[in-house]
Amino acid sequence: MPGLHLAGAYEVKKNVNVPVIGVGRIYPELGEWAIREGVADIIAMGRALIADPYLPNKAADGRLEDIVPCLSCWECLDGGIQAIVQTVIDPNSTSKGDLGCAVNPGAGNEADYRFSPASTPKRVVVVGGGPAGMEAARVSRLRGHDVTLIEKEAQLGGQLIPGSAPPHKEAISLLVEYFTTQLNKVGVKLELGKEATLDNISSAQPDAVVWAGGTTPVVPDIPGLDSSKVVFAADVLTGMVLVGDCVVIIGGDGTGCETAGFLADQGKKVTVVDILPQMMSKEGTIIQMRLFDELARKKVELLTGINYVGSSPEGPVIRTADGESRTLKADTYVLAAGARSNTELVTSLNAKFKGVYVIGDALEPRRIHDAISEGFETGRSI
Ligand SMILES: Cc1cc2nc3c(=O)[nH]c(=O)nc-3n(C[C@H](O)[C@H](O)[C@H](O)COP(=O)(O)OP(=O)(O)OC[C@H]3O[C@@H](n4cnc5c(N)ncnc54)[C@H](O)[C@@H]3O)c2cc1C
């Protein structure tokens, strides 16, 4: 929760005669309020300043819409915690950990994250309005290029839209808001609700094309799965489809587990199954701990290391890691079995144009950090 420790700061303040500092998921307006109302004397921010080191200046100038929002996603703390653990194991360790930030790829590396105006302004077409495409468009435009961004959906955001739906992920929608404001402010031409094709890209006569078309979900071949009961996790999270009372989620990575928490909050009986021995193996330690704890509290059943061994009229038959044979009965099966890069137009774009850049999940499905980082790099090198 934003300001989660302010109530504690207030209690301390009532009992001491020294200034009290309020901390914990504080954004400028909340910090102002806390000081004005006497909840704390001073406000300290941590992660928010990693996300945007210019936050204090922007707040002082009243440019709140220009502040890059911290997602409170723990990408930064995971690196820091590794360093602390390393220091405990070896007190002589000089490891500084790997400070990362989902929204500020320059965190810890600020001197290298600069750009200068383009020597020759170019016409740039960016395909895809996810974080990779939006950052590429923003930076290219700031450098003086003429930039058009084509997005097939009616709104910007890409996977950030379903990504902001699970419990505790609301801050991701602030990132969509931030980019939408910035792209309009710097003058990127937005063509929303339009699918990019070789023809319409060519008619823009671009000098450079950025392909940031994201991913398409993997559909695993599972015997006994009734296709009329199968939906994709992203469609569940965006409310495009409804699910029955009893749900089996196929795939236990971050998306599968977060979708489980989202559906359990709606009172659904949820089971997550995965053929791998561990769920969420690509997530950081803190995120894993938080999600496992949340899913245990919400009584979501997690089955790892399963094998699909057959089918029955009621659903796929599996063998669990304990050797038990079970039928996966469900009203709805939610697919969260990974995604593969969408490279639909890449070959034909490469054949037709010289400057083609493939970035973000379209290059390899990964995370927001990689998408924004590659968007920035591309924007500054065109
Ligand atoms: C539920 C969920 C939760 C997630 N949570 C996190 C998280 O907590 N932290 C994290 O780091 N990452 C998270 N991710 C992953 C993260 O959202 C992606 O890595 C990131 O969005 C990839 O950005 P992108 O710009 O490369 O692609 P996308 O966000 O997929 O955007 C691609 C865009 O291209 C558009 N497009 C495709 N083809 C065309 C075309 N022909 N014409 C026009 N437009 C086209 C698509 O409509 C889409 O809007 C999550 C993902 C999901 C689904």
Side-chain angles (χ1 to χ4, degrees):
M1 292 291 287
L4 72 167
H5 298 310
L6 284 177
Y10 184 54
E11 286 306 309
V12 172
K13 194 169 148 52
K14 284 196 286 192
N15 289 284
V16 298
N17 294 318
V18 291
V20 170
I21 306 176
V23 298
R25 281 199 80 174
I26 294 177
Y27 50 90
E29 300 96 314
L30 182 59
E32 286 283 331
W33 169 86
I35 289 179
R36 200 172 51 239
E37 297 297 322
V39 173
D41 301 295
I42 301 172
I43 291 299
M45 292 179 177
R47 292 178 289 174
L49 297 179
I50 299 174
D52 190 344
Y54 300 98
L55 179 151
N57 293 348
K58 291 175 182 174
D61 290 349
R63 292 188 292 121
L64 296 180
E65 76 282 5
D66 291 344
I67 295 172
V68 187
C70 169
L71 306 183
S72 304
C73 67
W74 287 325
E75 186 111 16
C76 51
L77 288 186
D78 254 320
I81 277 187
Q82 279 162 25
I84 293 166
V85 170
Q86 190 58 39
T87 316
V88 171
I89 296 168
D90 172 11
N92 297 321
S93 164
T94 52
S95 163
K96 295 199 204 89
D98 195 9
L99 176 71
C101 176
V103 295
N104 177 12
N109 213 1
E110 285 79 3
D112 289 340
Y113 271 77
R114 298 173 189 280
F115 55 82
S116 41
S119 47
T120 317
K122 292 182 174 171
R123 250 193 312 271
V124 179
V125 169
V126 178
V127 180
M134 293 193 288
E135 178 68 351
R138 185 186 75 87
V139 175
S140 310
R141 178 67 195 133
L142 282 172
R143 292 185 55 236
H145 295 310
D146 176 343
V147 185
T148 302
L149 186 152
I150 307 177
E151 165 55 54
K152 68 177 176 191
E153 301 298 335
Q155 57 177 334
L156 292 168
Q159 289 176 69
L160 299 181
I161 308 279
S164 65
H168 314 296
K169 302 287 291 282
E170 305 81 4
I172 289 184
S173 61
L174 299 178
L175 186 63
V176 179
E177 217 175 289
Y178 162 80
F179 270 120
T180 307
T181 305
Q182 297 306 311
L183 295 188
N184 281 303
K185 224 171 162 173
V186 301
V188 169
K189 293 170 200 152
L190 296 174
E191 299 191 355
L192 304 182
K194 170 175 167 176
E195 175 143 8
T197 60
L198 193 58
D199 279 352
N200 60 27
I201 294 173
S202 304
S203 64
Q205 297 184 307
D207 303 304
V209 180
V210 180
W211 177 262
T215 54
T216 47
V218 167
V219 181
D221 186 15
I222 297 173
L225 209 55
D226 174 352
S227 61
S228 68
K229 292 183 179 176
V230 175
V231 297
F232 291 114
D235 293 337
V236 173
L237 291 168
T238 49
M240 299 275 287
V241 295
L242 296 175
V243 303
D245 290 335
C246 178
V247 180
V248 168
I249 297 181
I250 294 168
D253 66 0
T255 299
C257 288
E258 285 180 350
T259 308
F262 174 84
L263 289 175
D265 280 352
Q266 297 172 11
K268 311 292 180 191
K269 181 179 176 304
V270 186
T271 302
V272 186
V273 297
D274 203 312
I275 51 176
L276 295 175
Q278 206 206 329
M279 297 206 174
M280 291 187 275
S281 53
K282 289 192 199 136
E283 301 293 334
T285 321
I286 306 177
I287 292 171
Q288 283 183 12
M289 281 162 53
R290 181 188 70 69
L291 258 171
F292 281 134
D293 178 55
E294 177 189 328
L295 297 184
R297 272 188 289 108
K298 293 179 179 173
K299 305 209 173 352
V300 171
E301 186 182 25
L302 303 178
L303 295 176
T304 52
I306 64 143
N307 281 305
Y308 294 98
V309 291
S311 67
S312 81
E314 290 172 305
V317 179
I318 60 161
R319 179 161 306 119
T320 66
D322 300 336
E324 186 198 345
S325 182
R326 268 177 69 167
T327 301
L328 288 183
K329 287 184 221 165
D331 301 318
T332 311
Y333 298 91
V334 177
L335 289 187
R340 61 172 64 91
S341 294
N342 166 15
T343 53
E344 200 187 337
L345 292 184
V346 174
T347 309
S348 39
L349 287 172
N350 273 324
K352 183 142 193 181
F353 303 104
K354 272 207 184 100
V356 178
Y357 302 79
V358 181
I359 60 169
D361 277 12
L363 183 64
E364 186 191 340
R366 286 156 297 159
R367 304 181 64 74
I368 297 170
H369 168 86
D370 307 287
I372 295 186
S373 181
E374 285 163 19
F376 183 93
E377 280 304 332
T378 304
R380 78 164 168 181
S381 55
I382 291 174

